[in-house]
Amino acid sequence: MMESPSTITARDGVAMDTNTRGWFGDLVFGVLARLAGWFILLVMAGIIIVLVSGGWRAFSAFGPGFITSTAWNPISDHFGAATSIFGTLVTTLIALVFAVPFAFGVAFWLVEMAPPALARFIETAVQLLAAVPSIIFGMWGFFIVVPFMAHYIEPVATHYLGHVPGMGLLFRGAPYGTGLLTGGLILAIMITPFICSVMTDVFVSIPAVLKESAFGLGATRWEVMRDVVLPWSRQAVMGGIMLGTGRALGETMAVTFVIGNSNRLGWSLFAPGNTIASLIALEFPESSAGSLKLSALLALGAILMIISFITLACSRIFLQRGVSN
Protein backbone atom coordinates (compact mmCIF):
# COMPACT_ATOMS: atom_id res chain seq x y z
CA MET A 1 0.00 0.00 0.00
CA MET A 2 1.53 3.28 -1.13
CA GLU A 3 1.70 6.27 1.22
CA SER A 4 -0.03 9.42 0.20
CA PRO A 5 2.09 12.48 -0.66
CA SER A 6 0.74 14.33 2.37
CA THR A 7 1.87 11.53 4.72
CA ILE A 8 5.37 11.49 3.25
CA THR A 9 5.63 15.26 3.48
CA ALA A 10 4.53 15.27 7.15
CA ARG A 11 7.00 12.54 8.07
CA ASP A 12 9.88 14.31 6.34
CA GLY A 13 8.93 17.53 8.11
CA VAL A 14 9.05 15.84 11.52
CA ALA A 15 12.45 14.34 10.71
CA MET A 16 13.85 17.69 9.60
CA ASP A 17 12.49 19.36 12.74
CA THR A 18 14.10 16.67 14.91
CA ASN A 19 17.44 17.04 13.13
CA THR A 20 17.27 20.82 13.47
CA ARG A 21 16.63 20.60 17.23
CA GLY A 22 19.43 18.07 17.64
CA TRP A 23 21.87 20.23 15.69
CA PHE A 24 20.92 23.32 17.67
CA GLY A 25 21.23 21.49 21.01
CA ASP A 26 24.65 20.14 20.04
CA LEU A 27 25.76 23.64 19.06
CA VAL A 28 24.59 25.15 22.36
CA PHE A 29 26.22 22.37 24.36
CA GLY A 30 29.51 22.79 22.51
CA VAL A 31 29.52 26.55 23.06
CA LEU A 32 28.77 26.20 26.78
CA ALA A 33 31.48 23.56 27.20
CA ARG A 34 34.06 25.78 25.48
CA LEU A 35 33.02 28.77 27.57
CA ALA A 36 33.41 26.71 30.76
CA GLY A 37 36.93 25.71 29.76
CA TRP A 38 37.93 29.26 28.83
CA PHE A 39 36.34 30.59 32.03
CA ILE A 40 38.64 28.40 34.13
CA LEU A 41 41.65 29.74 32.24
CA LEU A 42 40.45 33.33 32.67
CA VAL A 43 39.97 32.86 36.42
CA MET A 44 43.45 31.36 36.75
CA ALA A 45 44.97 34.15 34.68
CA GLY A 46 43.12 36.77 36.74
CA ILE A 47 44.43 35.34 40.01
CA ILE A 48 47.99 35.25 38.69
CA ILE A 49 47.79 38.81 37.36
CA VAL A 50 46.43 40.18 40.64
CA LEU A 51 49.07 38.44 42.76
CA VAL A 52 52.03 39.22 40.51
CA SER A 53 51.06 42.83 39.82
CA GLY A 54 50.21 43.45 43.47
CA GLY A 55 53.42 41.84 44.72
CA TRP A 56 55.69 43.36 42.09
CA ARG A 57 56.53 46.31 44.31
CA ALA A 58 57.86 43.98 47.01
CA PHE A 59 59.82 41.92 44.48
CA SER A 60 61.30 45.14 43.06
CA ALA A 61 62.16 46.57 46.48
CA PHE A 62 63.84 43.49 47.93
CA GLY A 63 64.82 41.50 44.85
CA PRO A 64 65.74 37.83 45.25
CA GLY A 65 66.52 38.58 48.88
CA PHE A 66 62.79 38.66 49.56
CA ILE A 67 62.69 34.87 49.24
CA THR A 68 65.76 34.26 51.42
CA SER A 69 65.21 36.93 54.06
CA THR A 70 63.72 36.02 57.45
CA ALA A 71 62.81 39.60 58.36
CA TRP A 72 59.25 40.76 58.89
CA ASN A 73 59.25 44.25 60.35
CA PRO A 74 56.25 46.43 59.42
CA ILE A 75 57.76 49.40 61.28
CA SER A 76 60.86 49.58 59.09
CA ASP A 77 59.08 48.18 56.01
CA HIS A 78 61.51 45.28 55.75
CA PHE A 79 59.88 42.00 54.74
CA GLY A 80 61.03 38.53 53.81
CA ALA A 81 59.39 35.24 52.91
CA ALA A 82 61.90 32.63 54.08
CA THR A 83 60.29 31.89 57.45
CA SER A 84 56.79 31.43 56.10
CA ILE A 85 57.99 29.38 53.13
CA PHE A 86 59.93 27.14 55.48
CA GLY A 87 56.92 26.72 57.77
CA THR A 88 54.63 25.93 54.85
CA LEU A 89 56.91 23.25 53.45
CA VAL A 90 57.73 21.67 56.82
CA THR A 91 54.13 21.47 58.05
CA THR A 92 52.98 20.05 54.72
CA LEU A 93 55.75 17.44 54.77
CA ILE A 94 54.88 16.45 58.34
CA ALA A 95 51.21 16.18 57.37
CA LEU A 96 51.99 13.89 54.43
CA VAL A 97 54.33 11.71 56.50
CA PHE A 98 51.52 10.99 58.95
CA ALA A 99 48.47 11.19 56.67
CA VAL A 100 49.48 9.04 53.69
CA PRO A 101 50.30 5.81 55.60
CA PHE A 102 47.30 6.28 57.88
CA ALA A 103 44.93 6.92 54.96
CA PHE A 104 46.33 3.91 53.11
CA GLY A 105 45.83 1.69 56.16
CA VAL A 106 42.25 2.84 56.65
CA ALA A 107 41.44 2.39 52.94
CA PHE A 108 43.04 -1.08 52.86
CA TRP A 109 41.12 -2.14 55.97
CA LEU A 110 37.80 -0.82 54.63
CA VAL A 111 38.16 -2.60 51.29
CA GLU A 112 39.83 -5.88 52.22
CA MET A 113 39.28 -6.64 55.90
CA ALA A 114 36.36 -4.78 57.51
CA PRO A 115 32.85 -6.32 57.69
CA PRO A 116 30.59 -4.68 55.08
CA ALA A 117 28.24 -3.06 57.60
CA LEU A 118 31.10 -1.63 59.65
CA ALA A 119 32.94 -0.55 56.51
CA ARG A 120 29.95 1.48 55.33
CA PHE A 121 29.69 3.16 58.74
CA ILE A 122 33.41 4.01 58.89
CA GLU A 123 33.42 5.25 55.29
CA THR A 124 30.52 7.58 56.07
CA ALA A 125 32.38 8.85 59.13
CA VAL A 126 35.46 9.54 57.00
CA GLN A 127 33.40 11.53 54.52
CA LEU A 128 31.79 13.50 57.32
CA LEU A 129 35.21 14.27 58.76
CA ALA A 130 36.21 15.77 55.41
CA ALA A 131 33.26 18.17 55.66
CA VAL A 132 34.25 19.60 59.07
CA PRO A 133 35.23 23.30 58.73
CA SER A 134 38.89 24.04 59.22
CA ILE A 135 38.24 26.48 62.06
CA ILE A 136 36.69 23.62 64.06
CA PHE A 137 39.90 21.63 63.62
CA GLY A 138 41.83 24.68 64.76
CA MET A 139 39.74 25.14 67.90
CA TRP A 140 39.90 21.43 68.70
CA GLY A 141 43.65 21.47 68.18
CA PHE A 142 44.11 24.51 70.40
CA PHE A 143 42.12 23.11 73.34
CA ILE A 144 42.99 19.41 73.03
CA VAL A 145 46.09 18.75 70.94
CA VAL A 146 48.21 21.68 72.13
CA PRO A 147 47.89 20.83 75.88
CA PHE A 148 48.48 17.14 75.12
CA MET A 149 51.63 17.97 73.17
CA ALA A 150 52.85 20.37 75.88
CA HIS A 151 52.34 17.96 78.80
CA TYR A 152 53.16 14.58 77.29
CA ILE A 153 54.71 14.42 73.83
CA GLU A 154 57.18 17.30 73.75
CA PRO A 155 58.74 16.77 77.23
CA VAL A 156 59.26 13.07 76.55
CA ALA A 157 60.66 13.68 73.07
CA THR A 158 62.99 16.36 74.39
CA HIS A 159 64.22 14.10 77.20
CA TYR A 160 64.94 11.06 75.03
CA LEU A 161 65.74 12.58 71.63
CA GLY A 162 66.94 16.09 72.42
CA HIS A 163 70.51 14.93 73.03
CA VAL A 164 70.83 12.59 70.06
CA PRO A 165 73.47 13.96 67.69
CA GLY A 166 71.87 15.43 64.58
CA MET A 167 68.34 14.42 65.46
CA GLY A 168 68.41 16.43 68.68
CA LEU A 169 68.09 19.68 66.73
CA LEU A 170 64.54 18.69 65.77
CA PHE A 171 63.37 18.05 69.33
CA ARG A 172 64.67 20.94 71.37
CA GLY A 173 62.90 23.90 72.86
CA ALA A 174 60.37 24.76 75.53
CA PRO A 175 57.27 22.54 75.52
CA TYR A 176 54.68 25.17 74.65
CA GLY A 177 52.55 22.72 72.68
CA THR A 178 52.29 25.04 69.71
CA GLY A 179 54.76 24.77 66.86
CA LEU A 180 55.53 23.22 63.50
CA LEU A 181 54.93 19.65 64.65
CA THR A 182 51.51 20.46 66.09
CA GLY A 183 50.56 22.34 62.94
CA GLY A 184 51.64 19.38 60.83
CA LEU A 185 49.61 16.96 62.96
CA ILE A 186 46.46 19.06 62.61
CA LEU A 187 47.00 19.21 58.86
CA ALA A 188 47.48 15.44 58.78
CA ILE A 189 44.12 14.93 60.48
CA MET A 190 42.49 17.33 58.03
CA ILE A 191 43.84 15.84 54.79
CA THR A 192 43.53 12.17 55.78
CA PRO A 193 39.80 11.96 54.87
CA PHE A 194 40.45 13.34 51.37
CA ILE A 195 43.29 10.92 50.64
CA CYS A 196 41.44 8.00 52.24
CA SER A 197 38.25 8.61 50.25
CA VAL A 198 40.13 8.63 46.95
CA MET A 199 42.09 5.50 47.85
CA THR A 200 38.95 3.67 48.95
CA ASP A 201 37.09 4.47 45.74
CA VAL A 202 40.04 3.40 43.62
CA PHE A 203 40.65 0.16 45.50
CA VAL A 204 36.97 -0.78 45.17
CA SER A 205 36.95 -0.12 41.42
CA ILE A 206 39.81 -2.52 40.65
CA PRO A 207 38.59 -5.51 38.56
CA ALA A 208 38.05 -8.47 40.85
CA VAL A 209 39.67 -10.85 38.37
CA LEU A 210 43.06 -9.21 38.94
CA LYS A 211 42.99 -9.79 42.68
CA GLU A 212 41.46 -13.26 42.38
CA SER A 213 44.21 -14.30 39.99
CA ALA A 214 46.87 -13.15 42.44
CA PHE A 215 45.16 -14.93 45.34
CA GLY A 216 44.92 -18.04 43.18
CA LEU A 217 48.71 -17.97 42.76
CA GLY A 218 49.15 -17.95 46.53
CA ALA A 219 49.73 -14.25 47.13
CA THR A 220 48.90 -12.77 50.51
CA ARG A 221 46.70 -9.71 51.02
CA TRP A 222 49.70 -7.46 51.36
CA GLU A 223 51.34 -8.92 48.24
CA VAL A 224 48.14 -8.38 46.26
CA MET A 225 47.96 -4.80 47.47
CA ARG A 226 51.64 -4.13 46.75
CA ASP A 227 52.00 -5.94 43.41
CA VAL A 228 48.51 -5.64 41.91
CA VAL A 229 46.38 -2.92 43.47
CA LEU A 230 48.95 -0.15 43.88
CA PRO A 231 50.50 -0.47 40.39
CA TRP A 232 47.02 -0.53 38.84
CA SER A 233 45.81 2.52 40.80
CA ARG A 234 49.05 4.52 40.95
CA GLN A 235 47.74 7.56 39.10
CA ALA A 236 44.53 7.86 41.11
CA VAL A 237 46.34 7.35 44.42
CA MET A 238 48.86 10.03 43.51
CA GLY A 239 45.96 12.29 42.57
CA GLY A 240 44.47 11.81 46.03
CA ILE A 241 47.80 12.60 47.66
CA MET A 242 48.12 15.74 45.56
CA LEU A 243 44.60 16.74 46.60
CA GLY A 244 45.66 16.45 50.23
CA THR A 245 48.91 18.30 49.54
CA GLY A 246 47.04 21.20 48.01
CA ARG A 247 44.75 21.35 51.02
CA ALA A 248 47.73 21.33 53.39
CA LEU A 249 49.67 24.01 51.50
CA GLY A 250 46.81 26.48 51.55
CA GLU A 251 45.23 25.74 54.91
CA THR A 252 44.88 28.87 57.03
CA MET A 253 42.69 28.95 60.13
CA ALA A 254 43.48 25.53 61.59
CA VAL A 255 47.22 26.16 61.34
CA THR A 256 46.90 29.69 62.71
CA PHE A 257 45.43 28.32 65.94
CA VAL A 258 48.27 25.90 66.71
CA ILE A 259 51.50 26.91 64.97
CA GLY A 260 52.44 29.74 67.33
CA ASN A 261 52.56 32.53 64.70
CA SER A 262 56.14 33.56 65.29
CA ASN A 263 58.37 34.84 62.51
CA ARG A 264 61.46 32.97 63.63
CA LEU A 265 63.33 30.38 61.61
CA GLY A 266 64.64 27.33 63.46
CA TRP A 267 65.13 23.61 63.03
CA SER A 268 63.20 22.55 66.12
CA LEU A 269 59.79 21.04 65.37
CA PHE A 270 58.59 22.31 68.74
CA ALA A 271 59.45 25.95 67.99
CA PRO A 272 56.59 28.29 67.01
CA GLY A 273 56.52 29.45 63.42
CA ASN A 274 54.13 30.44 60.69
CA THR A 275 53.07 29.52 57.16
CA ILE A 276 52.35 31.67 54.14
CA ALA A 277 48.60 31.26 54.57
CA SER A 278 48.61 31.96 58.32
CA LEU A 279 50.82 35.03 57.91
CA ILE A 280 48.55 36.46 55.22
CA ALA A 281 45.47 35.83 57.37
CA LEU A 282 46.98 37.57 60.39
CA GLU A 283 48.62 40.54 58.65
CA PHE A 284 46.20 41.30 55.83
CA PRO A 285 43.59 43.16 57.95
CA GLU A 286 46.32 45.48 59.24
CA SER A 287 47.76 46.28 55.80
CA SER A 288 46.74 49.62 54.30
CA ALA A 289 45.99 49.94 50.61
CA GLY A 290 49.06 50.67 48.52
CA SER A 291 51.50 49.87 51.34
CA LEU A 292 54.67 47.87 50.91
CA LYS A 293 53.36 45.42 53.50
CA LEU A 294 50.29 44.66 51.38
CA SER A 295 52.53 44.17 48.37
CA ALA A 296 54.66 41.74 50.38
CA LEU A 297 51.56 39.75 51.35
CA LEU A 298 50.44 39.55 47.72
CA ALA A 299 53.95 38.45 46.79
CA LEU A 300 53.64 35.69 49.38
CA GLY A 301 50.40 34.62 47.73
CA ALA A 302 52.18 34.44 44.37
CA ILE A 303 54.95 32.34 45.92
CA LEU A 304 52.38 29.97 47.42
CA MET A 305 50.79 29.52 44.00
CA ILE A 306 54.20 28.83 42.47
CA ILE A 307 54.87 26.19 45.13
CA SER A 308 51.52 24.57 44.30
CA PHE A 309 52.38 24.56 40.58
CA ILE A 310 55.80 23.02 41.27
CA THR A 311 54.20 20.34 43.43
CA LEU A 312 51.71 19.48 40.68
CA ALA A 313 54.48 19.41 38.05
CA CYS A 314 56.61 17.08 40.16
CA SER A 315 53.66 14.73 40.65
CA ARG A 316 53.04 14.61 36.89
CA ILE A 317 56.71 13.84 36.22
CA PHE A 318 56.60 11.10 38.84
CA LEU A 319 53.50 9.59 37.27
CA GLN A 320 54.95 9.68 33.75
CA ARG A 321 58.09 7.91 34.91
CA GLY A 322 56.00 5.35 36.78
CA VAL A 323 53.86 4.65 33.73
CA SER A 324 56.89 4.38 31.42
CA ASN A 325 58.51 1.91 33.78
Side-chain angles (χ1 to χ4, degrees):
M1 181 176 180
M2 298 182 62
E3 296 180 351
S4 62
S6 60
T7 303
I8 295 175
T9 302
R11 184 181 62 193
D12 292 342
V14 172
M16 292 178 61
D17 184 63
T18 302
N19 292 334
T20 301
R21 290 199 304 267
W23 174 84
F24 181 75
D26 185 68
L27 176 63
V28 172
F29 176 77
V31 171
L32 292 177
R34 290 185 180 90
L35 288 177
W38 282 107
F39 180 74
I40 295 298
L41 294 178
L42 289 176
V43 170
M44 182 64 67
I47 294 174
I48 294 174
I49 291 173
V50 169
L51 293 178
V52 174
S53 61
W56 190 254
R57 182 183 173 190
F59 287 127
S60 301
F62 304 111
F66 178 74
I67 299 177
T68 58
S69 174
T70 60
W72 191 269
N73 192 339
I75 298 177
S76 61
D77 274 346
H78 191 195
F79 305 101
T83 303
S84 55
I85 293 175
F86 177 80
T88 300
L89 297 178
V90 170
T91 53
T92 301
L93 180 61
I94 293 173
L96 292 176
V97 168
F98 285 99
V100 172
F102 183 61
F104 174 81
V106 174
F108 178 80
W109 180 75
L110 289 175
V111 175
E112 298 292 341
M113 302 175 63
L118 183 59
R120 287 192 296 269
F121 176 78
I122 299 298
E123 187 173 358
T124 302
V126 171
Q127 295 174 355
L128 290 175
L129 190 62
V132 176
S134 61
I135 193 170
I136 302 301
F137 281 106
M139 295 171 64
W140 174 76
F142 183 79
F143 289 108
I144 302 298
V145 179
V146 169
F148 182 79
M149 295 289 293
H151 291 96
Y152 300 101
I153 302 299
E154 293 184 3
V156 173
T158 302
H159 178 74
Y160 289 101
L161 301 176
H163 303 287
V164 177
M167 185 182 297
L169 294 175
L170 302 176
F171 302 100
R172 292 178 181 175
Y176 295 122
T178 57
L180 298 174
L181 180 60
T182 307
L185 291 176
I186 295 298
L187 287 178
I189 297 173
M190 293 183 63
I191 68 176
T192 294
F194 295 93
I195 302 176
C196 181
S197 297
V198 174
M199 287 185 176
T200 302
D201 293 339
V202 174
F203 294 165
V204 170
S205 65
I206 293 177
V209 64
L210 297 179
K211 296 190 291 184
E212 292 173 356
S213 300
F215 283 127
L217 294 175
T220 63
R221 284 177 174 173
W222 167 243
E223 290 173 339
V224 170
M225 179 62 67
R226 181 189 61 193
D227 299 328
V228 177
V229 175
L230 284 180
W232 190 89
S233 60
R234 181 187 293 113
Q235 290 188 348
V237 170
M238 183 58 64
I241 295 175
M242 288 301 103
L243 177 65
T245 303
R247 177 73 187 274
L249 286 172
E251 178 52 43
T252 305
M253 294 309 301
V255 176
T256 304
F257 271 90
V258 300
I259 199 170
N261 302 305
S262 174
N263 201 72
R264 291 183 298 177
L265 184 63
W267 290 106
S268 176
L269 298 178
F270 300 155
N274 59 27
T275 64
I276 294 177
S278 66
L279 182 61
I280 293 176
L282 289 174
E283 299 288 344
F284 195 86
E286 301 176 359
S287 303
S288 57
S291 63
L292 185 60
K293 181 180 180 181
L294 179 61
S295 179
L297 293 176
L298 292 173
L300 285 175
I303 293 173
L304 181 59
M305 180 165 285
I306 293 173
I307 293 174
S308 300
F309 287 162
I310 293 175
T311 303
L312 179 60
C314 292
S315 67
R316 287 186 173 273
I317 294 173
F318 174 80
L319 289 175
Q320 291 176 356
R321 290 182 177 179
V323 172
S324 62
N325 293 334

